[in-house]
């Protein structure tokens, strides 16, 4: 669905939460095959048993990519993604955990290079089924200001 | 392959470059299906033709995940990934581009919370076949210091 | 996104069109692997060259599944899918075609077995990049009436 | 395997049953990724626990596509698929259920537009491991009559 | 399809040829992800350009697995696979080549350990669209003799 | 990682063991879809229950392809793969088993056709989590001799 949202229309403090998705063993295998990262922490149940967590843990890049993917429901044609700051892997994600993403409009600031645009910071927090934050990152959007 | 590398053994300024990988239309389709992000910028060739770049562009999360995956060749059992800073989508990646990742040891610093560990910052730059940086990010590793 | 829409709120004749998606060779390969249908009409470019269309054609079940998938953007918690009538494979879909789905509220009728629900018929037409219908089907939804 | 079967050679009432296939969590994940339908009924174990069935249920389009795929063992070069009537989602399919498809030649009729062809209706019933019908549909084949 | 074929019923010199399948870039990507072999010969178009063949070449294990998979149409419940001898990678397979497999009953011999069974050697040759052998292997089946 | 190893530098009797990988139900489904082999021994849990092993068993071609894939960590640019001898399916692999591959330099011999190269035989044994050999094969490498 497309929806035009200008810089002025982002409301500081606004929160939305996505639908949930259970992270399956399939996701582990698909992510390893997609990225080429077959480290035994993710792929070897016997080895993982010897680690502190005692079981396979999700790739950080997967929790990030799926966590961000969950937010991809509305296309804003006057915004583009500049990058992410402070991406942190806060807690492990295990096979069978269910995640959803909470997006908070955390900051708005002038764009130093583009007078007709502003920066919107979306605080993205991926939560597990117990409501614990497992990953956090600040998404920086560059958004058009309303035409004068 | 496993290789123990302590904090002291990371050499500031050391550079390594991974093997390359051609980003295919398959990778676009797999990433959309893996993350649920089917935005037409990535998936609709007709729509993409109307955009400035004139063709489908890779998901930023895919360039990040595959770019990081390319570096996953040596397991250091005394390090773990803390997160990433300043992840930036610098240039678009198109179907058929070939990427590799250049990793530079950019900083070393004390860990504020853990006296027996230090932080190593790996500057990760994903390059295309023309040597242009398409994505950059600072990877923060927490690494054991050598036992006294 | 969840949105409650009761039987009374479906407007006869209402039309919506989904975003588009380019059907890739990857989709052909994934669908064959997912369903086990490796018929050479879909999978063998040499054989397909000898057929009237001169190239590989998409599985009908794929055009149906992806065409329906494109409509899956809003969850209506008071509706469920009963089935489809008059599913027809109208034109072939080739590698590189871009499809989107047009959904028209085509009929509303009492549910013969459930007084508190009604049937809504969504006419689903999958269109290619030239606006031609490639697949059509009548989707039957069973929807709650508004509480009295 | 290719086998020429003319309209006249389809025997009314003939029944065949395919081999079986266990529907796995992997199939759920692959189908969501293939179609873009990530509705929580299929993908979110926590949410599904709150629904009447208490667990994730298979996409109707998946049961249809795999159920039809199971029948794709013999290629009849003088037949093509016209479409399906009365596709019905009769019972839910859960992770771990094993399905096979029973195909009954249910009707034969003249093709209104093509004198040299006839229509054969294959009643397709997808069965679970308890022999219950989970999905039913009437497949309409257009088949060449024998040359005079 | 299941078909009982006893040792005595395998005819020396009998030949069958499977349907064909075009090996796509998707298959390369799927095989790399499935096996973890991302060697640049298969995955890096820029690097492959510098090699004698000038383009990416298929994994040998993929040509073998798909070549064997093409033969998997009839289940013989009184046979099992013992292994393969003389598996040879004869010619490269490129993206877009179409392969099929020719199976010749090449030898029959007593099973040294099992009096009630015999060994059947199926000579498997994977052919490309020019009829050239790209891979060859001798498949050893252990098959029940007819009950006395 | 690339590493030049000439014929003279392969040490007879040298052994290396790869990291491990748990074979998941996902791998079964992916391999079936990749190869087109949907035999019920691999895919139908109900049917498999009636067999001697009582559960689904991995495709032999999958254990081979993944077992070989596990060894693909170092690229030797002066070697190429000639083929495999004595590939044997020694024990079944079940969902949840963890495999790794032990590679022993088992033989070195002149290449009958190429004076500047030699043949190195790598004995590949795929082991399960109990250290049992589940698959064995002799990999034949053709390797450059050191320049005179």
């Amino acid at each position: 669905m497309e929806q035009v949202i200008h810089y002025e229309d982002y409301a500081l403090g606004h929160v939305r939460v996505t639908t949930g998705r259970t992270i399956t063993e399939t996701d582990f295998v698909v992510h390893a095959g997609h990225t080429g990262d077959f480290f035994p922490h993710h792929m070897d149940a016997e080895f993982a048993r010897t680690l502190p967590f005692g079981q396979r843990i999700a790739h950080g890049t997967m929790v990030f990519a799926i966590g961000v993917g969950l937010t991809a429901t509305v296309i804003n044609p006057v915004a583009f993604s500049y990058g992410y700051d402070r991406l942190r892997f806060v807690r492990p994600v295990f096979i069978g955990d269910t995640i959803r993403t909470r997006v908070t409009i955390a900051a708005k600031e002038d764009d130093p290079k583009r007078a007709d645009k502003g920066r919107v910071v979306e605080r993205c927090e991926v939560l597990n089924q117990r409501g614990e934050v497992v990953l956090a990152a600040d998404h920086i959007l560059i958004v058009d200001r309303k035409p004068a």
Side-chain angles (χ1 to χ4, degrees), chain A:
Chain A
M1 208 171 53
E2 190 175 295
Q3 193 181 350
V4 171
I5 312 173
H6 285 101
Y7 176 72
E8 293 81 355
D9 295 333
Y10 280 87
L12 260 182
H14 177 268
V15 176
R16 69 183 172 108
V17 179
T18 69
T19 56
R21 179 166 157 194
T22 300
I23 301 300
T24 65
E25 190 180 61
T26 302
D27 295 302
F28 277 55
V29 174
V30 168
H31 195 76
H34 182 42
T35 64
D37 179 346
F38 285 82
F39 273 10
H41 313 70
H42 316 302
M43 302 300 283
D44 180 339
E46 300 290 326
F47 170 79
R49 207 163 285 155
T50 69
L51 297 180
F53 295 123
Q55 59 179 300
R56 287 166 284 175
I57 58 172
H59 299 72
T61 49
M62 178 168 78
V63 180
F64 177 63
I66 293 182
V68 168
L70 283 167
T71 73
T73 52
V74 175
I75 302 166
N76 182 0
V78 298
F80 70 89
S81 177
Y82 181 74
Y84 287 83
D85 276 347
R86 281 172 292 282
L87 167 55
R88 294 294 179 269
F89 306 124
V90 182
R91 278 185 185 81
V93 173
F94 302 118
I95 294 170
D97 279 354
T98 296
I99 64 171
R100 64 214 146 90
T101 302
R102 180 169 62 204
V103 182
T104 306
I105 306 301
K108 294 176 66 174
E109 48 198 54
D110 291 345
D111 185 287
K113 301 183 225 159
R114 285 160 283 222
D116 61 335
K117 297 179 199 297
R119 290 185 177 206
V120 174
V121 177
E122 295 183 324
R123 178 77 180 156
C124 296
E125 293 165 299
V126 181
L127 312 171
N128 66 17
Q129 67 275 15
R130 287 179 298 278
E132 300 163 331
V133 174
V134 295
L135 180 148
D138 288 337
H139 185 205
I140 305 161
L141 284 170
I142 309 287
V143 190
D144 286 1
R145 293 173 190 276
K146 282 184 180 161

